[in-house]
Amino acid sequence: VQLQASGGGLVQAGGSLRLSCAATARTFSSYAMGWFRQAPGKEREFVAAINWSGGRTNYADFVKGRFTISRDGAKNTVYLQMNNLKPEDTAVYYCAAKRGSEFGNYDNWGQGTQVTVSS
């Protein structure tokens, strides 16, 4: 599966962005999808994940209540709605895909999209 992330940009603290990740997979519905991020000088970290049906989601504690992951099977796309953004959310955001459970290691990665939050 190939993944193309988009939607990043520069936003002021308190603002919102919606990231999109388009997947080129005929069997998109068989993949769990996740969003990860990597800030300068830091390791990549988990942000959110959604199972194959969209019926189960998981979030890192630092985004709970602010970010929402969703998927649209008709468009082969997963989204990350990010509200109340903070400067510490500044990072390159990556979408990823894996077969099976949304837990565990992801083996398909997109190219990343930059999110910059100014204070």
Side-chain angles (χ1 to χ4, degrees), residues 28-79:
F28 177 68
S29 62
S30 66
Y31 287 88
M33 302 295 295
W35 285 98
F36 296 75
R37 70 185 188 186
Q38 186 167 21
K42 295 187 177 181
E43 293 187 352
R44 186 169 60 197
E45 61 184 355
F46 168 78
V47 175
I50 190 166
N51 76 330
W52 65 274
S53 70
R56 187 169 62 235
T57 57
N58 291 279
Y59 298 93
D61 286 344
F62 53 78
V63 302
K64 284 182 179 177
R66 300 190 298 125
F67 292 9
T68 303
I69 188 171
S70 61
R71 64 190 296 160
D72 184 336
K75 297 181 178 179
N76 278 15
T77 300
V78 64
Y79 303 98

Side-chain angles (χ1 to χ4, degrees), residues 57-119:
T57 57
N58 291 279
Y59 298 93
D61 286 344
F62 53 78
V63 302
K64 284 182 179 177
R66 300 190 298 125
F67 292 9
T68 303
I69 188 171
S70 61
R71 64 190 296 160
D72 184 336
K75 297 181 178 179
N76 278 15
T77 300
V78 64
Y79 303 98
L80 186 68
Q81 177 67 45
M82 305 186 295
N83 298 328
N84 190 22
L85 283 160
K86 305 175 181 180
E88 52 263 42
D89 293 318
T90 295
V92 177
Y93 284 70
Y94 298 89
C95 63
K98 66 183 296 289
R99 290 189 181 273
S101 167
E102 67 272 27
F103 300 104
N105 294 324
Y106 284 71
D107 52 6
N108 297 278
W109 293 86
Q111 86 289 2
T113 184
Q114 176 70 48
V115 172
T116 303
V117 184
S118 62
S119 57

